[in-house]
Amino acid sequence: MKKIKFFLIGLVPGLIIVFFVLNKKGVSCSGYLPNSRVIAETLSKDFTYSDDFKAEMVHLKLNEKFLKDSIITSGKIDFDRSHAQKKPCPDYVLTYPEKNPVYEITFEKCDEKAVLNSLKKLK
């Protein structure tokens, strides 16, 4: 019992200190999840749009800034419908927003570029 008491006396203040130090630096663990990693890698690549994708962007009156800053950045990858292990370019299905999706994008993430193939408005 004495060992547990000493353990907790050290653990609790240590966790509090680590929490405040990391929180001050703006560190988060969200970048390690598969969804965040795929989105971060995709945003770091050059975007290429298919003709269908461009036409649908014009039809839905979406611009590239909204596409990158909102839809892709805040979207959710549907790994059940994606082919993440496909070679040489895995393809993904992204929905936005996470709850009650309105847009669905299918894209391929190659080594040099991200090819956006289709854009659908779901509702």
Side-chain angles (χ1 to χ4, degrees), residues 52-53 55-62 66-67 71 81 93-97 100-106 118-123:
D52 292 338
F53 194 92
E56 196 62 27
M57 276 181 68
V58 170
H59 174 71
L60 296 173
K61 298 180 178 125
L62 298 176
F66 179 73
L67 178 73
I71 295 177
R81 295 175 35 210
V93 176
L94 179 136
T95 55
Y96 170 83
N100 301 321
V102 176
Y103 297 107
E104 179 180 281
I105 295 175
T106 57
S118 71
L119 170 65
K120 295 178 193 169
K121 185 163 184 166
L122 301 174
K123 295 180 182 179

Side-chain angles (χ1 to χ4, degrees), residues 37-84:
R37 288 177 40 200
V38 169
I39 289 173
E41 288 174 17
T42 302
L43 289 171
S44 70
K45 300 185 182 309
D46 293 328
F47 279 40
T48 304
Y49 304 102
S50 71
D51 293 335
D52 292 338
F53 194 92
K54 287 179 192 176
E56 196 62 27
M57 276 181 68
V58 170
H59 174 71
L60 296 173
K61 298 180 178 125
L62 298 176
N63 60 21
E64 189 173 353
K65 181 172 175 30
F66 179 73
L67 178 73
K68 286 183 179 181
D69 293 347
S70 296
I71 295 177
I72 295 176
T73 302
S74 302
K76 172 91 169 113
I77 303 290
D78 185 350
F79 286 102
D80 292 334
R81 295 175 35 210
S82 300
H83 303 99

